[in-house]
Amino acid sequence: MENTPGPGAGRKEWIALGVLMLPLLLVSMDVSVLYFAIPYISEDLEPSATQQLWILDMYGFVLAGLLVTMGALGDRIGRRRLVLAGAALFGVASAAAAYAHSAELLIVVRALLGLGGAALMPSTLALIRNLFHDARQRGRAVTIWTAVMTTGISLGPVVSGLLLEHFWWGAVFLINLPAMALLLLLVPFLVPESSTGRSAAGARRFDLLSAVLSLGALLPVIYGIKEWARHGYAPVPALGAAAGLLLGLVFVRRQRRLDHPMIDLGLLGRRAFGGPVLANLLAMFATVGMAVLFTQYLQSVLGQSPLTAALWSLVPAAGVAVTAPAGAALAQRIDRAYVMGGGFALSACGFLLITQVRTDSPLWFTLVGGSVYAGGLVAAMTLANELALGAAPPERAGSAAAVLESGQELGGALGMAILGSVGAAVYSRDMAESLPVLPAGVPGADAVRETLGGAAAVASGLPGPAADAVLTASRTAFTHGMGIAAVGAAVVMAGAGLFSVSLLRGVGRTGRPTPAPGEGAGQGAAVRDGSPAPVEGTAARDGLSVSASPGGGRVGEAAQGDRAGDRA
Protein backbone atom coordinates (compact mmCIF):
# COMPACT_ATOMS: atom_id res chain seq x y z
CA MET A 1 0.00 0.00 0.00
CA GLU A 2 1.57 3.23 -1.07
CA ASN A 3 1.67 6.13 1.33
CA THR A 4 1.04 9.13 -0.91
CA PRO A 5 -1.24 12.12 -0.44
CA GLY A 6 -4.78 11.34 -1.49
CA PRO A 7 -6.71 13.16 -4.18
CA GLY A 8 -8.14 16.59 -3.53
CA ALA A 9 -11.74 16.89 -2.40
CA GLY A 10 -14.32 18.18 -4.85
CA ARG A 11 -17.69 19.87 -4.56
CA LYS A 12 -19.36 16.71 -3.21
CA GLU A 13 -16.99 16.48 -0.24
CA TRP A 14 -17.37 20.16 0.65
CA ILE A 15 -21.16 19.88 0.47
CA ALA A 16 -20.91 16.81 2.70
CA LEU A 17 -18.87 18.85 5.19
CA GLY A 18 -21.58 21.51 5.23
CA VAL A 19 -24.21 18.87 5.94
CA LEU A 20 -22.11 17.42 8.79
CA MET A 21 -21.72 20.87 10.32
CA LEU A 22 -25.49 21.15 10.87
CA PRO A 23 -25.69 18.54 13.64
CA LEU A 24 -22.43 19.80 15.15
CA LEU A 25 -23.86 23.32 15.37
CA LEU A 26 -27.11 22.12 16.94
CA VAL A 27 -25.41 19.75 19.38
CA SER A 28 -23.18 22.64 20.53
CA MET A 29 -26.14 25.01 20.75
CA ASP A 30 -28.14 22.61 22.92
CA VAL A 31 -25.58 23.06 25.71
CA SER A 32 -26.81 26.65 26.20
CA VAL A 33 -30.13 26.90 24.34
CA LEU A 34 -32.25 26.57 27.51
CA TYR A 35 -30.73 29.57 29.32
CA PHE A 36 -33.58 31.87 28.29
CA ALA A 37 -36.25 29.16 28.13
CA ILE A 38 -36.01 28.03 31.77
CA PRO A 39 -38.41 30.70 33.13
CA TYR A 40 -41.06 29.61 30.61
CA ILE A 41 -40.45 25.92 31.34
CA SER A 42 -40.71 26.61 35.08
CA GLU A 43 -44.04 28.36 34.60
CA ASP A 44 -45.44 25.54 32.45
CA LEU A 45 -44.01 22.36 34.06
CA GLU A 46 -43.45 23.70 37.62
CA PRO A 47 -40.21 21.80 38.30
CA SER A 48 -38.59 21.86 41.72
CA ALA A 49 -35.28 23.68 42.13
CA THR A 50 -33.40 20.37 41.85
CA GLN A 51 -35.37 19.31 38.77
CA GLN A 52 -34.66 22.67 37.14
CA LEU A 53 -30.92 22.14 37.59
CA TRP A 54 -31.15 18.64 36.09
CA ILE A 55 -33.12 19.98 33.12
CA LEU A 56 -30.22 22.33 32.43
CA ASP A 57 -27.35 19.94 33.19
CA MET A 58 -28.52 16.47 32.16
CA TYR A 59 -27.72 17.00 28.48
CA GLY A 60 -24.15 18.12 29.11
CA PHE A 61 -23.45 15.37 31.66
CA VAL A 62 -24.60 12.56 29.37
CA LEU A 63 -22.87 14.11 26.36
CA ALA A 64 -19.53 14.35 28.18
CA GLY A 65 -19.82 10.93 29.78
CA LEU A 66 -20.56 9.05 26.55
CA LEU A 67 -18.16 10.72 24.10
CA VAL A 68 -15.43 8.10 24.52
CA THR A 69 -17.89 5.24 24.30
CA MET A 70 -19.54 6.56 21.15
CA GLY A 71 -16.22 7.33 19.50
CA ALA A 72 -15.07 3.74 20.02
CA LEU A 73 -18.43 2.39 18.86
CA GLY A 74 -18.21 4.42 15.66
CA ASP A 75 -14.79 2.94 14.93
CA ARG A 76 -16.28 -0.52 15.14
CA ILE A 77 -19.69 -0.25 13.45
CA GLY A 78 -18.86 2.62 11.05
CA ARG A 79 -18.96 6.35 11.69
CA ARG A 80 -21.50 7.20 9.01
CA ARG A 81 -23.83 4.58 10.46
CA LEU A 82 -23.41 6.07 13.94
CA VAL A 83 -24.04 9.61 12.61
CA LEU A 84 -27.32 8.44 11.08
CA ALA A 85 -28.36 6.66 14.27
CA GLY A 86 -27.42 9.69 16.37
CA ALA A 87 -29.34 12.04 14.06
CA ALA A 88 -32.46 9.86 14.25
CA LEU A 89 -32.30 9.70 18.05
CA PHE A 90 -31.57 13.43 18.33
CA GLY A 91 -34.55 14.26 16.14
CA VAL A 92 -36.97 12.00 17.99
CA ALA A 93 -35.76 13.23 21.38
CA SER A 94 -36.06 16.87 20.23
CA ALA A 95 -39.71 16.34 19.29
CA ALA A 96 -40.37 14.61 22.60
CA ALA A 97 -38.68 17.44 24.53
CA ALA A 98 -40.76 20.09 22.75
CA TYR A 99 -43.99 18.46 23.90
CA ALA A 100 -42.88 17.14 27.29
CA HIS A 101 -45.73 17.44 29.79
CA SER A 102 -43.72 16.99 32.99
CA ALA A 103 -40.33 17.93 34.40
CA GLU A 104 -39.43 14.25 34.88
CA LEU A 105 -40.08 13.48 31.21
CA LEU A 106 -38.07 16.50 30.07
CA ILE A 107 -35.09 15.36 32.17
CA VAL A 108 -35.23 11.88 30.62
CA VAL A 109 -35.52 13.28 27.12
CA ARG A 110 -32.60 15.64 27.73
CA ALA A 111 -30.55 12.55 28.62
CA LEU A 112 -31.55 10.99 25.27
CA LEU A 113 -30.51 14.20 23.52
CA GLY A 114 -27.12 13.86 25.20
CA LEU A 115 -26.86 10.28 23.95
CA GLY A 116 -27.67 11.39 20.40
CA GLY A 117 -25.22 14.28 20.63
CA ALA A 118 -22.45 11.98 21.86
CA ALA A 119 -23.03 9.78 18.80
CA LEU A 120 -22.82 12.79 16.46
CA MET A 121 -19.90 14.89 17.72
CA PRO A 122 -16.87 12.56 17.48
CA SER A 123 -18.17 10.98 14.28
CA THR A 124 -18.39 14.34 12.49
CA LEU A 125 -14.73 15.07 13.26
CA ALA A 126 -13.62 11.52 12.42
CA LEU A 127 -15.45 11.58 9.07
CA ILE A 128 -13.43 14.65 8.04
CA ARG A 129 -10.46 12.28 7.84
CA ASN A 130 -12.47 10.07 5.54
CA LEU A 131 -13.62 12.93 3.29
CA PHE A 132 -10.42 14.97 2.96
CA HIS A 133 -7.24 13.10 2.07
CA ASP A 134 -5.33 16.21 1.01
CA ALA A 135 -3.57 17.68 4.04
CA ARG A 136 -4.28 21.33 3.26
CA GLN A 137 -7.95 20.72 2.53
CA ARG A 138 -8.26 18.68 5.72
CA GLY A 139 -6.72 21.57 7.62
CA ARG A 140 -9.37 23.96 6.26
CA ALA A 141 -12.11 21.45 7.10
CA VAL A 142 -10.87 21.12 10.69
CA THR A 143 -10.77 24.93 10.94
CA ILE A 144 -14.43 25.05 9.95
CA TRP A 145 -15.29 22.23 12.40
CA THR A 146 -13.60 24.03 15.32
CA ALA A 147 -15.21 27.38 14.51
CA VAL A 148 -18.68 25.84 14.23
CA MET A 149 -18.27 23.94 17.50
CA THR A 150 -17.17 26.99 19.50
CA THR A 151 -19.69 29.34 17.84
CA GLY A 152 -22.60 27.00 18.53
CA ILE A 153 -22.23 27.38 22.28
CA SER A 154 -22.42 31.18 21.98
CA LEU A 155 -25.23 31.04 19.44
CA GLY A 156 -27.55 28.96 21.63
CA PRO A 157 -28.81 31.81 23.86
CA VAL A 158 -29.29 34.10 20.85
CA VAL A 159 -31.42 31.59 18.94
CA SER A 160 -33.33 30.79 22.13
CA GLY A 161 -34.07 34.46 22.79
CA LEU A 162 -35.25 35.10 19.24
CA LEU A 163 -37.53 32.06 19.20
CA LEU A 164 -39.04 32.81 22.59
CA GLU A 165 -40.11 36.25 21.40
CA HIS A 166 -42.48 34.62 18.89
CA PHE A 167 -43.11 30.98 19.96
CA TRP A 168 -43.49 28.79 23.04
CA TRP A 169 -40.50 27.20 24.76
CA GLY A 170 -40.75 23.94 22.80
CA ALA A 171 -39.61 25.78 19.66
CA VAL A 172 -36.01 25.74 20.93
CA PHE A 173 -36.09 21.97 20.43
CA LEU A 174 -38.11 21.84 17.22
CA ILE A 175 -35.46 23.79 15.29
CA ASN A 176 -33.40 20.59 15.43
CA LEU A 177 -35.86 18.61 13.31
CA PRO A 178 -35.23 20.10 9.82
CA ALA A 179 -31.46 19.78 10.21
CA MET A 180 -31.68 16.16 11.37
CA ALA A 181 -34.07 15.30 8.52
CA LEU A 182 -31.66 16.86 6.03
CA LEU A 183 -28.80 14.91 7.58
CA LEU A 184 -30.66 11.60 7.31
CA LEU A 185 -31.55 12.35 3.69
CA LEU A 186 -28.17 13.52 2.36
CA VAL A 187 -25.48 11.74 4.38
CA PRO A 188 -26.02 8.31 2.70
CA PHE A 189 -25.36 9.93 -0.71
CA LEU A 190 -22.58 12.38 0.22
CA VAL A 191 -20.52 10.76 2.98
CA PRO A 192 -18.66 7.48 2.38
CA GLU A 193 -18.67 4.91 5.14
CA SER A 194 -15.33 4.18 6.76
CA SER A 195 -13.97 0.69 6.19
CA THR A 196 -13.36 -0.09 9.84
CA GLY A 197 -16.80 -1.62 10.25
CA ARG A 198 -15.76 -4.44 7.90
CA SER A 199 -12.12 -4.65 8.96
CA ALA A 200 -10.57 -6.61 11.77
CA ALA A 201 -10.68 -3.46 13.91
CA GLY A 202 -14.39 -3.06 13.35
CA ALA A 203 -15.06 -6.75 13.87
CA ARG A 204 -13.65 -6.74 17.38
CA ARG A 205 -16.17 -7.24 20.13
CA PHE A 206 -17.30 -4.00 21.75
CA ASP A 207 -15.98 -3.80 25.32
CA LEU A 208 -19.10 -3.01 27.34
CA LEU A 209 -17.26 -2.98 30.67
CA SER A 210 -14.83 -0.33 29.44
CA ALA A 211 -17.78 1.72 28.22
CA VAL A 212 -19.41 1.55 31.66
CA LEU A 213 -16.14 2.46 33.37
CA SER A 214 -15.56 5.47 31.11
CA LEU A 215 -19.06 6.77 31.81
CA GLY A 216 -18.66 6.10 35.53
CA ALA A 217 -15.36 7.99 35.55
CA LEU A 218 -16.19 11.08 33.48
CA LEU A 219 -19.75 11.82 34.57
CA PRO A 220 -19.22 12.14 38.38
CA VAL A 221 -15.96 14.07 37.93
CA ILE A 222 -17.57 16.66 35.66
CA TYR A 223 -20.64 16.76 37.92
CA GLY A 224 -18.46 17.37 40.98
CA ILE A 225 -16.49 20.15 39.28
CA LYS A 226 -19.63 21.92 38.07
CA GLU A 227 -21.27 21.69 41.49
CA TRP A 228 -18.12 23.12 43.06
CA ALA A 229 -18.29 26.02 40.60
CA ARG A 230 -21.98 26.61 41.32
CA HIS A 231 -22.28 26.09 45.09
CA GLY A 232 -18.76 25.69 46.46
CA TYR A 233 -17.55 22.65 48.32
CA ALA A 234 -20.14 20.06 49.29
CA PRO A 235 -19.55 16.46 50.49
CA VAL A 236 -21.70 14.63 47.93
CA PRO A 237 -20.17 16.20 44.76
CA ALA A 238 -16.69 15.82 46.27
CA LEU A 239 -17.27 12.13 46.98
CA GLY A 240 -18.70 11.70 43.49
CA ALA A 241 -15.63 13.28 41.91
CA ALA A 242 -13.35 11.08 44.04
CA ALA A 243 -15.29 7.97 43.01
CA GLY A 244 -15.02 9.03 39.38
CA LEU A 245 -11.25 9.39 39.68
CA LEU A 246 -11.00 5.89 41.18
CA LEU A 247 -13.07 4.45 38.37
CA GLY A 248 -10.84 6.32 35.95
CA LEU A 249 -7.81 4.51 37.38
CA VAL A 250 -9.61 1.18 36.97
CA PHE A 251 -10.46 2.15 33.38
CA VAL A 252 -6.81 2.99 32.61
CA ARG A 253 -5.57 -0.29 34.11
CA ARG A 254 -8.07 -2.22 32.02
CA GLN A 255 -7.02 -0.42 28.82
CA ARG A 256 -3.40 -1.36 29.48
CA ARG A 257 -4.28 -5.05 29.73
CA LEU A 258 -6.53 -5.30 26.66
CA ASP A 259 -5.18 -6.28 23.25
CA HIS A 260 -7.66 -3.91 21.59
CA PRO A 261 -8.39 -1.12 24.11
CA MET A 262 -11.13 1.48 23.78
CA ILE A 263 -8.48 4.19 24.21
CA ASP A 264 -4.96 3.59 22.92
CA LEU A 265 -2.87 4.82 25.84
CA GLY A 266 0.28 4.49 23.73
CA LEU A 267 -1.21 6.96 21.24
CA LEU A 268 -2.23 9.30 24.06
CA GLY A 269 1.37 9.28 25.29
CA ARG A 270 2.77 10.49 21.97
CA ARG A 271 3.50 14.15 21.47
CA ALA A 272 1.50 14.46 18.26
CA PHE A 273 -1.69 13.34 20.02
CA GLY A 274 -1.34 13.78 23.78
CA GLY A 275 0.11 17.28 23.32
CA PRO A 276 -2.88 18.60 21.33
CA VAL A 277 -5.30 16.98 23.80
CA LEU A 278 -3.70 18.91 26.66
CA ALA A 279 -3.56 22.11 24.57
CA ASN A 280 -7.29 21.80 23.83
CA LEU A 281 -8.06 21.21 27.51
CA LEU A 282 -6.20 24.39 28.48
CA ALA A 283 -7.90 26.37 25.71
CA MET A 284 -11.37 25.32 26.84
CA PHE A 285 -10.38 26.03 30.46
CA ALA A 286 -9.91 29.69 29.57
CA THR A 287 -12.78 29.88 27.06
CA VAL A 288 -15.57 28.55 29.26
CA GLY A 289 -14.25 29.98 32.53
CA MET A 290 -14.13 33.50 31.13
CA ALA A 291 -17.38 33.18 29.12
CA VAL A 292 -19.37 32.79 32.34
CA LEU A 293 -17.88 35.98 33.79
CA PHE A 294 -18.03 37.87 30.49
CA THR A 295 -21.77 37.22 30.09
CA GLN A 296 -22.51 38.30 33.66
CA TYR A 297 -20.53 41.48 33.11
CA LEU A 298 -22.62 42.39 30.06
CA GLN A 299 -25.92 41.64 31.80
CA SER A 300 -25.46 42.58 35.45
CA VAL A 301 -22.75 45.25 35.33
CA LEU A 302 -23.67 47.01 32.08
CA GLY A 303 -27.39 46.35 32.60
CA GLN A 304 -28.10 44.79 29.21
CA SER A 305 -31.08 42.52 28.59
CA PRO A 306 -30.26 38.81 28.19
CA LEU A 307 -30.88 38.90 24.43
CA THR A 308 -28.83 42.07 23.93
CA ALA A 309 -25.98 40.62 25.98
CA ALA A 310 -26.14 37.39 23.97
CA LEU A 311 -25.98 39.32 20.69
CA TRP A 312 -22.98 41.38 21.84
CA SER A 313 -21.26 38.20 23.02
CA LEU A 314 -21.17 37.05 19.37
CA VAL A 315 -18.88 39.95 18.41
CA PRO A 316 -15.71 38.03 19.41
CA ALA A 317 -16.59 35.60 16.62
CA ALA A 318 -15.18 38.28 14.31
CA GLY A 319 -11.77 37.63 15.82
CA VAL A 320 -12.24 33.93 15.24
CA ALA A 321 -13.17 34.51 11.59
CA VAL A 322 -9.86 36.31 11.04
CA THR A 323 -7.34 34.41 13.13
CA ALA A 324 -8.43 30.79 12.60
CA PRO A 325 -7.94 30.78 8.78
CA ALA A 326 -4.81 32.92 9.14
CA GLY A 327 -3.33 30.47 11.62
CA ALA A 328 -4.12 27.51 9.38
CA ALA A 329 -2.48 29.25 6.39
CA LEU A 330 0.58 30.23 8.42
CA ALA A 331 1.00 26.64 9.62
CA GLN A 332 1.56 25.60 6.00
CA ARG A 333 4.78 27.65 5.97
CA ILE A 334 6.28 27.33 9.44
CA ASP A 335 6.23 24.82 12.26
CA ARG A 336 2.70 24.74 13.59
CA ALA A 337 4.01 24.58 17.16
CA TYR A 338 5.09 28.21 16.78
CA VAL A 339 1.70 29.13 15.31
CA MET A 340 -0.09 27.43 18.21
CA GLY A 341 2.22 29.20 20.64
CA GLY A 342 1.45 32.49 18.91
CA GLY A 343 -2.29 31.79 19.17
CA PHE A 344 -2.01 31.18 22.90
CA ALA A 345 0.16 34.30 23.29
CA LEU A 346 -2.46 36.34 21.42
CA SER A 347 -5.18 34.99 23.71
CA ALA A 348 -3.05 35.91 26.75
CA CYS A 349 -2.87 39.49 25.42
CA GLY A 350 -6.66 39.51 25.07
CA PHE A 351 -7.08 38.41 28.68
CA LEU A 352 -4.64 41.11 29.79
CA LEU A 353 -6.89 43.65 28.03
CA ILE A 354 -9.84 42.27 30.03
CA THR A 355 -7.90 42.97 33.25
CA GLN A 356 -8.17 46.67 32.41
CA VAL A 357 -11.98 46.63 32.09
CA ARG A 358 -13.81 48.75 34.66
CA THR A 359 -17.49 49.35 35.37
CA ASP A 360 -17.41 52.51 33.23
CA SER A 361 -15.23 51.13 30.42
CA PRO A 362 -16.62 51.60 26.91
CA LEU A 363 -18.26 48.50 25.49
CA TRP A 364 -15.97 48.48 22.45
CA PHE A 365 -12.90 48.04 24.65
CA THR A 366 -14.38 44.99 26.35
CA LEU A 367 -15.41 43.48 23.01
CA VAL A 368 -11.93 44.04 21.56
CA GLY A 369 -10.43 42.15 24.48
CA GLY A 370 -12.93 39.34 23.96
CA SER A 371 -12.24 39.21 20.22
CA VAL A 372 -8.48 39.02 20.74
CA TYR A 373 -8.56 36.18 23.26
CA ALA A 374 -11.24 34.23 21.39
CA GLY A 375 -9.39 34.55 18.09
CA GLY A 376 -6.12 33.34 19.56
CA LEU A 377 -7.75 30.42 21.34
CA VAL A 378 -9.65 29.11 18.33
CA ALA A 379 -6.58 29.46 16.10
CA ALA A 380 -4.59 27.30 18.52
CA MET A 381 -7.44 24.80 18.97
CA THR A 382 -7.84 24.40 15.21
CA LEU A 383 -4.21 23.40 14.76
CA ALA A 384 -4.36 21.12 17.80
CA ASN A 385 -7.41 19.32 16.40
CA GLU A 386 -5.79 18.95 12.98
CA LEU A 387 -2.53 17.64 14.44
CA ALA A 388 -4.26 15.09 16.68
CA LEU A 389 -6.59 13.91 13.92
CA GLY A 390 -3.65 13.34 11.57
CA ALA A 391 -1.73 11.49 14.29
CA ALA A 392 -4.52 8.98 14.96
CA PRO A 393 -4.59 5.74 12.96
CA PRO A 394 -7.56 5.71 10.56
CA GLU A 395 -9.21 2.80 12.34
CA ARG A 396 -9.22 4.79 15.60
CA ALA A 397 -10.21 8.22 14.32
CA GLY A 398 -13.53 8.13 16.18
CA SER A 399 -11.91 7.20 19.50
CA ALA A 400 -9.28 9.88 18.99
CA ALA A 401 -11.91 12.54 18.26
CA ALA A 402 -13.84 11.47 21.35
CA VAL A 403 -10.75 11.78 23.56
CA LEU A 404 -10.15 15.29 22.18
CA GLU A 405 -13.72 16.33 22.91
CA SER A 406 -13.73 14.72 26.35
CA GLY A 407 -10.64 16.77 27.18
CA GLN A 408 -12.48 19.88 26.03
CA GLU A 409 -15.47 19.07 28.26
CA LEU A 410 -13.19 18.49 31.24
CA GLY A 411 -11.26 21.68 30.53
CA GLY A 412 -14.48 23.68 30.32
CA ALA A 413 -15.71 22.30 33.63
CA LEU A 414 -12.37 23.06 35.31
CA GLY A 415 -12.35 26.58 33.89
CA MET A 416 -15.86 27.25 35.15
CA ALA A 417 -14.94 25.96 38.59
CA ILE A 418 -11.48 27.48 39.07
CA LEU A 419 -11.81 30.83 37.31
CA GLY A 420 -15.36 31.18 38.64
CA SER A 421 -14.13 30.49 42.17
CA VAL A 422 -11.34 33.05 41.80
CA GLY A 423 -13.84 35.68 40.68
CA ALA A 424 -16.23 34.77 43.51
CA ALA A 425 -13.50 34.92 46.15
CA VAL A 426 -12.37 38.38 45.03
CA TYR A 427 -15.99 39.56 44.94
CA SER A 428 -16.70 38.35 48.49
CA ARG A 429 -13.53 39.92 49.87
CA ASP A 430 -14.14 43.26 48.18
CA MET A 431 -17.77 43.35 49.30
CA ALA A 432 -16.78 42.64 52.89
CA GLU A 433 -14.33 45.56 52.78
CA SER A 434 -16.41 48.09 50.86
CA LEU A 435 -19.85 47.30 52.29
CA PRO A 436 -19.28 46.00 55.83
CA VAL A 437 -22.68 47.07 57.21
CA LEU A 438 -26.16 46.94 55.67
CA PRO A 439 -29.30 48.57 57.04
CA ALA A 440 -30.77 46.56 59.91
CA GLY A 441 -33.46 44.07 58.99
CA VAL A 442 -32.53 43.81 55.31
CA PRO A 443 -33.55 40.31 54.11
CA GLY A 444 -30.89 38.31 52.29
CA ALA A 445 -28.00 40.45 53.50
CA ASP A 446 -25.59 37.52 53.19
CA ALA A 447 -26.49 37.12 49.50
CA VAL A 448 -25.09 40.60 48.84
CA ARG A 449 -21.60 39.38 49.69
CA GLU A 450 -21.93 36.08 47.81
CA THR A 451 -23.08 36.87 44.27
CA LEU A 452 -23.75 39.84 42.04
CA GLY A 453 -27.26 38.51 41.36
CA GLY A 454 -27.94 38.34 45.08
CA ALA A 455 -26.79 41.93 45.51
CA ALA A 456 -29.11 43.09 42.72
CA ALA A 457 -32.04 41.25 44.30
CA VAL A 458 -31.42 42.83 47.71
CA ALA A 459 -30.89 46.28 46.19
CA SER A 460 -34.30 46.13 44.53
CA GLY A 461 -35.89 46.25 48.00
CA LEU A 462 -33.81 49.11 49.38
CA PRO A 463 -34.41 52.86 49.23
CA GLY A 464 -32.62 54.84 46.51
CA PRO A 465 -29.31 55.84 48.14
CA ALA A 466 -28.83 52.45 49.85
CA ALA A 467 -29.68 50.59 46.64
CA ASP A 468 -27.21 52.67 44.65
CA ALA A 469 -24.48 51.99 47.21
CA VAL A 470 -25.08 48.24 47.07
CA LEU A 471 -25.19 48.14 43.27
CA THR A 472 -22.10 50.30 42.84
CA ALA A 473 -20.08 48.25 45.33
CA SER A 474 -21.22 44.91 43.90
CA ARG A 475 -20.55 45.86 40.28
CA THR A 476 -17.11 47.20 41.13
CA ALA A 477 -16.30 44.05 43.13
CA PHE A 478 -17.49 41.76 40.34
CA THR A 479 -15.48 43.62 37.70
CA HIS A 480 -12.40 43.39 39.91
CA GLY A 481 -12.99 39.66 40.34
CA MET A 482 -13.33 39.23 36.58
CA GLY A 483 -10.04 41.06 36.10
CA ILE A 484 -8.21 38.81 38.57
CA ALA A 485 -9.69 35.72 36.89
CA ALA A 486 -8.48 37.12 33.55
CA VAL A 487 -4.97 37.35 35.02
CA GLY A 488 -5.21 33.66 35.86
CA ALA A 489 -6.43 32.85 32.36
CA ALA A 490 -3.57 34.88 30.84
CA VAL A 491 -1.01 32.98 32.93
CA VAL A 492 -2.50 29.64 31.85
CA MET A 493 -2.47 30.73 28.20
CA ALA A 494 1.15 31.84 28.46
CA GLY A 495 1.98 28.44 29.92
CA ALA A 496 0.04 26.72 27.13
CA GLY A 497 2.02 28.71 24.55
CA LEU A 498 5.36 27.70 26.10
CA PHE A 499 4.15 24.10 26.31
CA SER A 500 3.16 24.09 22.63
CA VAL A 501 6.49 25.49 21.44
CA SER A 502 8.68 23.33 23.66
CA LEU A 503 6.86 19.99 23.39
CA LEU A 504 5.32 20.12 19.92
CA ARG A 505 8.20 21.78 18.05
CA GLY A 506 9.08 19.55 15.10
CA VAL A 507 5.81 17.61 15.25
CA GLY A 508 4.04 19.76 12.68
CA ARG A 509 7.08 21.11 10.87
CA THR A 510 7.17 21.03 7.11
CA GLY A 511 9.15 17.95 6.19
CA ARG A 512 10.50 15.19 8.37
CA PRO A 513 10.29 15.59 12.15
CA THR A 514 13.52 16.06 14.00
CA PRO A 515 14.39 12.98 16.10
CA ALA A 516 14.16 13.50 19.80
CA PRO A 517 17.36 13.49 21.82
CA GLY A 518 18.75 10.03 22.24
CA GLU A 519 17.18 8.62 19.09
CA GLY A 520 19.48 6.98 16.61
CA ALA A 521 19.24 7.07 12.87
CA GLY A 522 17.61 3.69 12.87
CA GLN A 523 14.80 4.94 15.04
CA GLY A 524 14.05 7.93 12.86
CA ALA A 525 12.10 5.83 10.40
CA ALA A 526 9.80 4.64 13.11
CA VAL A 527 9.13 8.07 14.54
CA ARG A 528 5.88 9.58 13.45
CA ASP A 529 5.58 12.57 15.74
CA GLY A 530 9.06 13.52 16.84
CA SER A 531 8.77 11.49 20.05
CA PRO A 532 10.68 8.30 20.87
CA ALA A 533 9.76 5.27 18.83
CA PRO A 534 6.96 3.17 20.28
CA VAL A 535 7.67 -0.01 22.17
CA GLU A 536 7.93 -3.17 20.18
CA GLY A 537 4.58 -4.26 18.87
CA THR A 538 2.84 -0.89 19.10
CA ALA A 539 3.89 0.32 15.68
CA ALA A 540 2.97 -3.00 14.13
CA ARG A 541 -0.43 -2.93 15.78
CA ASP A 542 -1.24 0.62 14.74
CA GLY A 543 0.47 0.38 11.36
CA LEU A 544 2.35 3.64 11.79
CA SER A 545 5.09 5.30 9.80
CA VAL A 546 6.22 8.80 8.98
CA SER A 547 4.99 10.53 5.86
CA ALA A 548 5.71 14.14 5.04
CA SER A 549 4.37 16.44 2.39
CA PRO A 550 4.58 20.18 1.72
CA GLY A 551 2.95 21.97 4.60
CA GLY A 552 3.64 19.19 7.05
CA GLY A 553 0.04 18.04 7.02
CA ARG A 554 0.86 14.39 6.34
CA VAL A 555 3.20 14.06 9.28
CA GLY A 556 1.73 11.37 11.48
CA GLU A 557 -0.40 9.68 8.80
CA ALA A 558 -0.88 5.94 9.09
CA ALA A 559 0.58 4.04 6.20
CA GLN A 560 -1.30 0.83 6.75
CA GLY A 561 -5.03 0.88 6.29
CA ASP A 562 -5.26 4.51 5.15
CA ARG A 563 -5.45 3.88 1.45
CA ALA A 564 -7.61 0.80 1.97
CA GLY A 565 -10.02 2.84 4.06
CA ASP A 566 -10.03 5.61 1.45
CA ARG A 567 -10.85 3.21 -1.39
CA ALA A 568 -13.69 1.76 0.64
Side-chain angles (χ1 to χ4, degrees), residues 30-395:
D30 263 42
V31 173
S32 55
V33 77
L34 288 189
Y35 289 172
F36 290 169
I38 276 294
Y40 301 92
I41 293 174
S42 299
E43 182 179 348
D44 191 10
L45 303 183
E46 299 181 352
S48 65
T50 301
Q51 288 175 329
Q52 180 173 306
L53 290 177
W54 279 112
I55 289 171
L56 283 170
D57 291 339
M58 179 60 79
Y59 174 80
F61 288 155
V62 175
L63 176 69
L66 288 177
L67 281 172
V68 172
T69 297
M70 289 296 143
L73 183 62
D75 288 342
R76 285 160 173 77
I77 70 171
R79 294 155 204 143
R80 186 182 71 176
R81 186 177 303 171
L82 190 62
V83 162
L84 293 173
L89 177 59
F90 203 85
V92 171
S94 296
Y99 296 100
H101 55 76
S102 67
E104 294 83 0
L105 178 59
L106 185 55
I107 292 171
V108 171
V109 173
R110 287 279 285 172
L112 293 177
L113 281 168
L115 175 59
L120 287 166
M121 283 193 74
S123 296
T124 56
L125 182 57
L127 282 170
I128 288 177
R129 202 183 200 287
N130 213 40
L131 286 168
F132 299 93
H133 309 305
D134 178 78
R136 297 192 180 192
Q137 289 184 328
R138 186 167 59 244
R140 289 196 292 270
V142 173
T143 299
I144 294 171
W145 187 94
T146 307
V148 169
M149 187 269 294
T150 54
T151 302
I153 299 174
S154 300
L155 198 60
V158 177
V159 173
S160 174
L162 292 174
L163 288 172
L164 291 170
E165 287 188 357
H166 304 285
F167 306 101
W168 98 112
W169 60 264
V172 302
F173 296 108
L174 291 182
I175 60 170
N176 297 332
L177 298 183
M180 295 304 151
L182 188 64
L183 189 72
L184 291 170
L185 180 64
L186 296 181
V187 162
F189 300 100
L190 295 173
V191 180
E193 180 60 280
S194 58
S195 64
T196 54
R198 297 184 297 273
S199 68
R204 293 196 294 263
R205 181 176 60 86
F206 183 72
D207 186 5
L208 182 60
L209 179 56
S210 289
V212 173
L213 287 173
S214 69
L215 178 64
L218 282 172
L219 198 153
V221 168
I222 292 176
Y223 166 75
I225 293 172
K226 286 191 173 183
E227 287 298 298
W228 173 32
R230 181 180 289 146
H231 303 298
Y233 172 81
V236 173
L239 289 174
L245 292 175
L246 290 176
L247 288 176
L249 291 176
V250 175
F251 174 80
V252 169
R253 289 177 61 88
R254 179 172 177 80
Q255 301 312 294
R256 287 176 174 169
R257 294 198 306 265
L258 293 175
D259 292 332
H260 305 296
M262 179 177 289
I263 293 179
D264 186 350
L265 298 179
L267 176 64
L268 191 60
R270 295 178 190 170
R271 290 194 297 163
F273 186 78
V277 169
L278 180 57
N280 259 346
L281 186 151
L282 295 174
M284 289 301 290
F285 172 92
T287 300
V288 176
M290 188 52 59
V292 175
L293 299 171
F294 192 83
T295 303
Q296 288 186 66
Y297 175 83
L298 293 177
Q299 290 186 17
S300 300
V301 176
L302 299 187
Q304 296 177 349
S305 69
L307 180 57
T308 301
L311 289 170
W312 279 119
S313 68
L314 291 178
V315 171
V320 173
V322 173
T323 58
L330 193 59
Q332 301 295 335
R333 295 172 174 80
I334 64 175
D335 192 325
R336 73 188 63 194
Y338 293 114
V339 183
M340 288 178 61
F344 282 122
L346 182 64
S347 68
C349 292
F351 286 120
L352 290 178
L353 286 176
I354 296 297
T355 65
Q356 302 305 306
V357 171
R358 302 292 182 262
T359 56
D360 58 349
S361 296
L363 179 58
W364 66 264
F365 182 81
T366 306
L367 295 177
V368 166
S371 300
V372 171
Y373 82 67
L377 282 171
V378 175
M381 289 176 65
T382 296
L383 295 175
N385 285 331
E386 182 191 352
L387 183 59
L389 190 62
E395 69 273 11

Side-chain angles (χ1 to χ4, degrees), residues 392-428:
E395 69 273 11
R396 299 196 177 194
S399 299
V403 171
L404 267 173
E405 291 160 12
S406 296
Q408 292 172 0
E409 291 286 339
L410 182 59
L414 285 170
M416 187 185 302
I418 296 176
L419 294 183
S421 297
V422 168
V426 173
Y427 174 87
S428 297

